[in-house]
Amino acid sequence: MTGWAILLDYVLVPGLLYLVASIAMNATVPQIPVWAWVIIFVAINTVINLRGIRMTISLTKALITAELVVLGLFLSVGVWALLQGKGRGFDLTPLFNPDTFSWPVVFGPVSVAVLSFLGFDGISMLVEEAKGGSAQVGRPCAWP
């Protein structure tokens, strides 16, 4: 029963995440319908998975580099703006405004975030079932 539940989890959660990401992208770029975003995300994920772990590593390094560049630009522009006297000083209202705060707005994205990281528990949970124990989990599979 547990195995079937885990399998169901690994089949349904990616589909749900594709749908949530597609709805978010449709809100950003409404000219592309939700179903087209789903196809785009599935195609990108399929190509990356078919190319193998080396492709995944290269892509991860490139995306982290791009994220750090964007973060650096954001911080640079922010510091430059503050040095120019722009802004209203230090204010936490953009982070928390009691007039517009609501719990449903917080818990909706939190549930999606929890589902996004659900797959990582599979390694620690299924290591006990692996032949050879935890030493075999990180090694490539040797097909008979």
Side-chain angles (χ1 to χ4, degrees), residues 48 53-67:
I48 291 169
I53 192 68
R54 285 191 174 84
M55 169 73 169
T56 304
I57 291 169
S58 300
L59 186 62
T60 301
K61 287 179 182 179
L63 288 174
I64 288 174
T65 302
E67 289 174 11

Side-chain angles (χ1 to χ4, degrees), residues 27-84:
T28 305
V29 184
Q31 295 83 2
I32 301 176
V34 173
W35 61 266
W37 281 114
V38 170
I39 292 172
I40 291 168
F41 288 136
V42 169
I44 290 171
N45 197 15
T46 301
V47 168
I48 291 169
N49 282 317
L50 288 176
R51 295 293 311 261
I53 192 68
R54 285 191 174 84
M55 169 73 169
T56 304
I57 291 169
S58 300
L59 186 62
T60 301
K61 287 179 182 179
L63 288 174
I64 288 174
T65 302
E67 289 174 11
L68 290 173
V69 167
V70 170
L71 177 63
L73 287 171
F74 179 79
L75 291 175
S76 299
V77 169
V79 168
W80 176 81
L82 289 174
L83 292 175
Q84 298 297 318

Side-chain angles (χ1 to χ4, degrees), residues 101-114:
F101 179 81
S102 72
W103 284 108
V105 171
V106 172
F107 285 124
V110 166
S111 64
V112 173
V114 168

Side-chain angles (χ1 to χ4, degrees), residues 126-139:
L126 297 176
V127 73
E128 296 171 4
E129 303 296 326
K131 192 179 234 181
S134 61
Q136 286 297 114
V137 172
R139 295 184 177 199

